Amino acid sequence: MKNYLLALLIFIGYLSPIQSVFASEDEHEGEEGISKIDNNMAKKVGVETAYLASKTLNQTIPVYGSTTIGAEQLFQVGARYNGVIKTINSTVGDTVKKGDLLAVIESNES
């Protein structure tokens, strides 16, 4: 892409003196540093123009793998007594705070 742009700029630089020979002097008054290409010449050499506008560019890259939870984000919860779990109030990935009821365990020892 860089080579293409460089070639285009060099080509426009070569066309600039040619175009100025065919154009009249009054057309270019006050237009110092501006290069113009005749429409017919632009069509012949394949030069196209377009209006510029700001846009948001998005790029999607397919990535293969699996996501896992980091070790610093895991915490094991245990009960004081062995028993049967009757209800679970949260699932993996839920945000819990200190004091939240996570599960109800039924045990003979409790």
Side-chain angles (χ1 to χ4, degrees):
M1 184 69 178
K2 289 181 182 178
N3 292 339
Y4 175 74
L5 290 175
L6 180 62
L8 181 62
L9 290 175
I10 291 171
F11 183 72
I12 290 172
Y14 283 124
L15 287 180
S16 184
I18 294 170
Q19 193 269 337
S20 64
V21 169
F22 297 111
S24 64
E25 288 296 321
D26 58 344
E27 281 184 32
H28 297 290
E29 260 182 59
E31 295 183 1
E32 187 175 326
I34 295 176
S35 296
K36 291 187 178 182
I37 300 174
D38 183 50
N39 288 338
N40 293 331
M41 178 65 81
K43 287 180 184 177
K44 287 180 184 178
V45 296
V47 174
E48 296 180 12
T49 59
Y51 291 102
L52 295 178
S54 63
K55 294 196 179 204
T56 302
L57 299 178
N58 296 318
Q59 182 178 12
T60 303
I61 301 171
V63 179
Y64 303 99
S66 60
T67 57
T68 59
I69 297 175
E72 67 277 356
Q73 295 175 334
L74 291 178
F75 188 80
Q76 294 184 355
V77 177
R80 292 184 193 164
Y81 308 103
N82 292 332
V84 178
I85 298 174
K86 289 295 186 183
T87 60
I88 297 178
N89 298 329
S90 60
T91 61
V92 175
D94 288 349
T95 303
V96 294
K97 297 179 226 162
K98 183 177 181 180
D100 287 352
L101 180 64
L102 301 179
V104 176
I105 301 174
E106 184 179 280
S107 172
N108 290 336
E109 298 176 13
S110 62

